[in-house]
């Protein structure tokens, strides 16, 4: 994977080739093609490996404190240059590449499921209404910094993480994230 990282750093995704990765790695390009099939599959595997580390589920004793620690962990990951470069590539590729889309979807599913624990504990402690949708709270907490990165192009910081946590906690305490009742089709 080191050869891929070097190629991505020097040439970006569009300039990265299996041939140059093979040369850097000291292997035949047919070996790479047999294992991965193409650059996109290698990048997705690198992304999966790089993001597989679970963000620890904090337990500060308060909902807002836990949410703040979660958002700070996520922003910290996005502030790491290598992790961010890989993330950017997978996000860009996910628009038209089903392999990248699946990897990105699985990444967010893991993060939402893991983060939902802090909301479930907040419900048990009576800090948020019992009908609070844990997944929606976690999605809303992450939306501001992902919007800054991928929509407006603004930089992010730990202050953005803190603000996202505070606003989301306030909205959750006010009951703005109720579980949605599913209605029968028809």
């Amino acid at each position: 994977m080191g050869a891929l990282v070097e190629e991505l750093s020097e040439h970006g995704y569009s300039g990265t080739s299996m041939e140059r990765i093979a040369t850097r790695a000291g292997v035949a390009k047919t070996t790479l093609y047999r294992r991965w099939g193409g650059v996109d599959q290698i990048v997705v595997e690198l992304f999966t490996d790089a993001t597989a580390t679970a963000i620890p589920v904090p337990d500060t004793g308060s909902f807002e404190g836990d949410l703040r620690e979660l958002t700070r962990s996520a922003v910290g990951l996005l502030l790491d240059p290598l992790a961010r470069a890989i993330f950017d590539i997978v996000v860009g590729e996910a628009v038209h590449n089903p392999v990248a889309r699946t990897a990105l979807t699985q990444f967010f599913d893991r993060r939402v499921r893991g983060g939902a624990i802090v909301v479930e504990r907040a419900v048990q402690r009576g800090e948020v209404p019992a009908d609070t949708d844990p997944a929606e709270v976690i999605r809303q907490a992450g939306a501001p910094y992902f919007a800054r990165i991928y929509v407006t192009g603004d930089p992010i910081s730990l202050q953005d993480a803190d603000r996202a946590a505070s606003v989301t906690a306030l909205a959750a305490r006010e009951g703005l994230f109720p579980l949605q009742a599913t209605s029968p089709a028809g």
Side-chain angles (χ1 to χ4, degrees):
M1 290 293 171
L4 172 63
V5 171
E6 290 171 11
E7 274 297 305
L8 291 171
S9 297
E10 284 183 33
H11 301 287
Y13 180 79
S14 62
T16 296
S17 71
M18 292 293 268
E19 292 77 14
R20 282 200 304 272
I21 295 169
T23 299
R24 283 181 189 266
V27 300
K29 68 180 176 180
T30 55
T31 301
L32 296 180
Y33 279 110
R34 254 194 319 273
R35 171 132 187 221
W36 288 286
V39 174
D40 60 335
Q41 285 91 357
I42 301 173
V43 171
V44 168
E45 184 173 315
L46 180 62
F47 171 77
T48 302
D49 291 349
T51 60
T53 303
I55 293 177
V57 178
D59 192 357
T60 65
S62 77
F63 173 54
E64 190 165 342
D66 291 350
L67 205 54
R68 180 171 285 111
E69 291 301 313
L70 274 179
T71 58
R72 281 177 157 256
S73 292
V75 167
L77 179 68
L78 292 167
L79 290 173
D80 175 81
L82 177 58
R84 173 66 185 275
I86 294 166
F87 204 88
D88 289 353
I89 291 164
V90 174
V91 167
E93 282 299 298
V95 173
H96 57 80
N97 179 326
V99 174
R101 167 50 46 207
T102 298
L104 194 60
T105 299
Q106 289 172 347
F107 165 78
F108 281 115
D109 286 347
R110 284 191 311 270
R111 293 303 196 248
V112 168
R113 279 194 314 273
I117 294 167
V118 304
V119 182
E120 293 162 1
R121 285 195 307 238
V123 168
Q124 292 169 353
R125 290 190 300 251
E127 293 178 271
V128 298
D131 70 339
T132 300
D133 184 339
E136 191 57 29
V137 170
I138 299 306
R139 285 186 204 103
Q140 291 294 322
Y145 46 86
F146 283 108
R148 289 178 70 89
I149 293 170
Y150 295 112
V151 177
T152 64
D154 293 328
I156 59 170
S157 69
L158 292 178
Q159 287 179 321
D160 298 309
D162 292 346
R163 185 179 314 111
S166 294
V167 170
T168 303
L170 176 63
R173 286 191 300 268
E174 292 298 319
L176 298 179
F177 302 116
L179 290 165
Q180 299 297 314
T182 54
S183 59

